[in-house]
Amino acid sequence: MDRRHLLKNSLALGGVFGLGGCAATPVPPAPPAPQPVSTPPLMDRPPVLAAVRAHPDRFFDFKVCLRPFRTKGPNLDVEQIGDAMVVHNYGHGGSGWSLSWGSAEMAVQKALVRSPREIAVIGSGIVGLTSAITAQRAGAQVTIYTRELLPRTRSVRANGSWTPDSRIALTSEAPANFGDTWEQMARISWKNFRPYLGMAGNPIAFADHYYLTDAPRGTPQPVDATVPPLPPPSWTGAPTSGEDFAKYSDRIRDITSHPQVLTPDINPFPVKYASRSTNLFFNFTEYGHLLTTEFFARGGKIVMRDFHSPAELAHLPQKVVINCPGFAARDWWKDKAMVPVRGQTGWLIPQPEVNYGLTYRNVQILSKSDGIMVIALENGELKGYNNSDESVNRAESERAVKVIEDLFARFPVNPA
Ligand SMILES: Cc1cc2nc3c(=O)[nH]c(=O)nc-3n(C[C@H](O)[C@H](O)[C@H](O)COP(=O)(O)OP(=O)(O)OC[C@H]3O[C@@H](n4cnc5c(N)ncnc54)[C@H](O)[C@@H]3O)c2cc1C
């Protein structure tokens, strides 16, 4: 208690006692009974959140990528090219990082039918690398043939969260049993991530993600008039709403985090409605480094090569090939079910003290070891559909970061 406070209190007390000294003392009213204060359970109280330094001048990188979306779901078919057996493993849309191990397991099982000693893998994106390692773990000698190594592939231009049913198929075109295949892939992958948790550099980690809305979730949100409406689809068969994309995540609710609604007393943001879930995500640099190291440690070889026609695969020394070319399958394999879905991420200078992500007004951010990723989400899953423009649109990322900058500007300067 400071001197002024003491003085004030003693003055007040002195007044009461002083009066008491010269007149009959009235009985003071009983102080009100203390009200029980309802404090949220310790585990639900909001953590102290480090502020994201969200300014356009902190962008140090932008990445654009095409999701290898296949309207019928990933291709895992087997085909014969000359005397080579080719097992396809491409077309994982916005779910390639998430489903990679499960899809690899399925492709390798098909490849092993021939009991090959040697296997060729085409491509060294996340699907190629996990296929190669899975084949090695099963005892095969593996050579990867690829045009680019992982750091230059489309895979590392992704967002990189556990999103196993993001743009994975169209409901109208997915095979009837695809839901079962998908569930198997998702569960196998989930188990395979386990050994990478807690490793130095956090190749795979969990982070809280906050979903912030100005109106209750699930009701129409205020519209941002600066965002132009999506042009009508350019071909029949194109999805017209997010509903057209196949969704399976209800099948694996037992292994993923359930969103928790944050009541006002535990909502740390200056936004009316908030919920939180804890999501798994990938730090590409560390995870990619670990996978590549394991591939070489198991005796894997990499040959830099650019294929131009499927017939070239028949001339490889390996007679069993797992084909993981990602979106390139559209032109190389003339796969008409492949549709590009453009996505752009902007990267703010890393802030290791920020250990969460959030989604607000169609902008998503996620703090990763190599930067804070900023992504514009307007029009949900339809954004970027059938758009193969891989050039950077800086204005898109700048508009997105402004939303986050405005959000943090609304925090009280001197929180109580
Ligand atoms: C913006 C964005 C966000 C995303 N976010 C997520 C997410 O949060 N979670 C998630 O799970 N997934 C996400 N994805 C999807 C994910 O990135 C892809 O599904 C995945 O990277 C596909 O991997 P891939 O190995 O099949 O393809 P790629 O990474 O494209 O690899 C293909 C490989 O094949 C090689 N290749 C191709 N053609 C030839 C040829 N002719 N000759 C020789 N080699 C060739 C390439 O060099 C490369 O090595 C996102 C994608 C985008 C665009």
Side-chain angles (χ1 to χ4, degrees):
M1 199 181 282
D2 64 44
R3 278 189 54 197
R4 241 193 12 235
H5 192 73
L6 253 178
L7 195 65
K8 195 170 139 211
N9 279 357
S10 57
L11 278 176
L13 290 171
V16 171
F17 288 123
L19 272 177
C22 61
T25 314
V27 181
Q35 293 296 309
V37 182
S38 93
T39 31
L42 189 57
M43 63 187 174
D44 288 338
R45 285 186 216 160
V48 177
L49 299 177
V52 175
R53 296 165 70 188
H55 308 293
D57 62 2
R58 286 179 63 84
F59 274 127
F60 71 97
D61 193 16
F62 301 92
K63 297 178 185 179
V64 181
C65 169
L66 305 181
R67 295 174 183 86
F69 177 67
R70 193 164 180 272
T71 55
K72 302 171 179 174
N75 187 3
L76 286 162
D77 290 349
V78 178
E79 104 176 66
Q80 199 66 33
I81 305 281
D83 59 351
M85 180 177 96
V86 178
V87 182
H88 293 298
N89 192 10
Y90 66 80
H92 299 79
S95 307
W97 284 88
S98 309
L99 295 177
S100 55
W101 287 108
S103 197
E105 182 71 35
M106 290 177 186
V108 168
Q109 286 307 324
K110 293 183 181 187
L112 291 179
V113 166
R114 289 259 181 106
S115 308
R117 239 172 41 83
E118 294 189 32
I119 290 181
V121 170
I122 311 301
S124 103
I126 188 59
V127 175
L129 261 183
T130 47
S131 297
I133 293 171
T134 304
Q136 289 176 319
R137 290 178 185 173
Q141 282 175 23
V142 179
T143 302
I144 291 179
Y145 296 87
T146 186
R147 195 164 57 193
E148 293 115 356
L149 298 176
L150 183 70
R152 296 185 75 89
T153 61
R154 288 196 170 102
S155 284
V156 292
R157 293 186 240 145
N159 160 340
S161 302
W162 168 252
T163 56
D165 67 351
S166 163
R167 303 166 183 89
I168 192 63
L170 288 183
T171 313
S172 53
E173 295 197 29
N177 62 349
F178 181 61
D180 295 338
T181 309
W182 176 88
E183 181 175 345
Q184 220 185 325
M185 270 185 199
R187 288 187 185 278
I188 296 172
S189 282
W190 188 257
K191 276 211 178 334
N192 273 274
F193 297 141
R194 186 73 184 85
Y196 297 97
L197 285 166
M199 291 186 98
N202 291 323
I204 295 183
F206 280 98
D208 283 344
H209 196 94
Y210 296 89
Y211 302 89
L212 311 176
T213 53
D214 300 305
R217 245 186 130 183
T219 65
Q221 300 294 313
V223 176
D224 181 350
T226 62
V227 179
L230 195 71
S234 57
W235 50 281
T236 43
T240 52
S241 88
E243 302 295 303
D244 296 347
F245 288 94
K247 286 286 162 213
Y248 303 104
S249 46
D250 278 348
R251 288 171 169 254
I252 54 165
R253 282 276 168 252
D254 57 312
I255 53 172
T256 49
S257 151
H258 296 236
Q260 174 198 11
V261 172
L262 301 183
T263 46
D265 53 336
I266 56 170
N267 173 5
F269 290 93
V271 173
K272 215 158 167 199
Y273 302 94
S275 59
R276 172 177 60 198
S277 58
T278 305
N279 303 342
L280 185 132
F281 71 100
F282 309 93
N283 282 313
F284 296 148
T285 316
E286 294 82 356
Y287 187 39
H289 181 69
L290 275 176
L291 295 182
T292 311
T293 306
E294 177 171 351
F295 175 70
F296 284 126
R298 290 181 180 274
K301 294 193 185 99
I302 293 186
V303 175
M304 300 307 293
R305 178 153 174 192
D306 191 356
F307 295 94
H308 300 283
S309 94
E312 292 171 49
L313 299 186
H315 303 296
L316 295 177
Q318 299 83 4
K319 294 301 158 203
V320 173
V321 180
I322 302 178
N323 182 41
C324 317
F327 182 69
R330 184 182 68 165
D331 296 331
W332 185 23
W333 291 83
K334 310 270 179 281
D335 187 338
K336 299 257 180 322
M338 293 294 292
V339 179
V341 185
R342 181 187 184 279
Q344 171 171 312
T345 50
W347 294 82
L348 299 169
I349 296 168
Q351 283 186 257
E353 73 280 15
V354 177
N355 58 357
Y356 60 92
L358 66 85
T359 303
Y360 181 50
R361 293 190 176 168
N362 281 321
V363 175
Q364 186 189 337
I365 64 165
L366 176 61
S367 181
K368 302 176 84 173
S369 60
D370 62 340
I372 296 189
M373 186 208 68
V374 180
I375 185 164
L377 301 170
E378 295 103 279
N379 300 311
E381 306 222 336
L382 294 178
K383 186 170 157 56
Y385 196 85
N386 205 18
N387 179 352
S388 52
D389 179 3
E390 287 191 87
S391 58
V392 168
N393 176 353
R394 189 179 171 115
E396 174 182 319
S397 296
E398 292 199 343
R399 206 181 53 231
V401 85
K402 275 296 287 168
V403 170
I404 306 303
E405 187 173 11
D406 291 348
L407 170 70
F408 279 93
R410 279 154 53 190
F411 272 87
V413 179
N414 293 313

